[in-house]
């Protein structure tokens, strides 16, 4: 069973971890160029954002659902990493609302991010369905907010009791 994901900004920001990795990598290579670490971190974050790819069924599924329903994206992460991915996927044109944890101040599974998103859509929890890949953050958070939930299990992981 994996550890629960973070629900605070410090947990979503990849910058400290990536910085530590680059410092250790440069030191292991016998290099001690502190001034280049920040540049490497910036380059890595940029490559991460543009290097993310969608499963091929995501865009057509979201587009079909958006034609009939109000959709929102709730994501744990930073504005810097999540907003460009939303735009690159074209979701900014078909999804009614985005809740990015850094901007909101709470991440999934905190029920407030679900309640706020539902309020922006004008949809009560009992009429909403949340789809996600984390049993803890997505399914547990949605259930705590009074929503139905669908678990996307692309890895074939065994479910556990929430």
């Amino acid at each position: 069973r994996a550890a629960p994901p973070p629900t605070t900004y410090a947990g979503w920001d990849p910058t400290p971890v990536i910085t530590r990795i680059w410092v250790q990598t440069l030191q292991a290579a016998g290099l001690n160029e502190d001034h280049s670490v920040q540049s490497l971190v910036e380059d890595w974050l940029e490559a991460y954002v543009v290097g993310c790819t969608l499963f091929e069924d995501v865009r057509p599924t979201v587009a079909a659902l958006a034609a009939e329903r109000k959709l929102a994206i709730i994501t744990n992460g930073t504005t810097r990493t999540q907003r460009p991915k939303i735009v690159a996927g074209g979701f900014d044109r078909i999804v009614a609302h985005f809740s990015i944890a850094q901007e909101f101040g709470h991440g999934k599974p905190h029920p407030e991010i679900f309640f706020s998103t539902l309020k922006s859509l004008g949809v009560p929890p009992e009429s909403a369905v949340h789809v996600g890949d984390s049993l803890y953050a997505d399914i547990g958070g949605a259930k705590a907010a009074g929503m139905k939930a669908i678990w996307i299990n692309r890895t074939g992981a065994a479910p556990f009791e929430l």
Side-chain angles (χ1 to χ4, degrees):
R1 189 182 208 182
T7 59
T8 61
Y9 171 72
W12 313 312
D13 184 10
T15 307
V17 172
I18 301 307
T19 300
R20 209 167 38 250
I21 290 168
W22 276 114
V23 166
Q24 291 171 354
T25 300
L26 290 173
Q27 288 172 345
L31 303 170
N32 193 12
E33 299 183 36
D34 290 337
H35 65 279
S36 64
V37 170
Q38 194 56 40
S39 175
L40 291 168
V41 170
E42 296 296 323
D43 290 347
W44 186 91
L45 287 169
E46 180 65 28
Y48 165 74
V49 168
V50 291
C52 288
T53 58
L54 293 170
F55 289 100
E56 58 185 61
D57 59 340
V58 172
R59 194 175 288 114
T61 301
V62 171
L65 289 169
E68 298 181 15
R69 305 273 190 265
K70 293 180 186 178
L71 299 184
I73 293 174
I74 302 174
T75 178
N76 281 356
T78 63
T79 302
R80 178 179 182 176
T81 59
Q82 301 306 86
R83 194 166 290 280
K85 289 192 291 185
I86 290 167
V87 171
F91 299 115
D92 59 321
R93 295 185 303 275
I94 58 175
V95 174
H97 181 80
F98 317 106
S99 292
I100 298 174
Q102 178 188 8
E103 296 171 5
F104 185 75
H106 292 291
K108 301 175 289 182
H110 199 290
E112 284 304 316
I113 197 165
F114 292 93
F115 292 139
S116 176
T117 302
L118 291 168
K119 183 177 180 182
S120 74
L121 296 176
V123 175
E126 62 275 7
S127 298
V129 176
H130 181 77
V131 178
D133 63 356
S134 168
L135 279 174
Y136 180 80
D138 291 305
I139 307 311
K143 286 183 172 185
M147 301 169 65
K148 296 175 192 81
I150 298 173
W151 181 36
I152 300 294
N153 181 8
R154 294 190 188 269
T155 66
F160 59 87
E161 192 65 34
L162 291 175

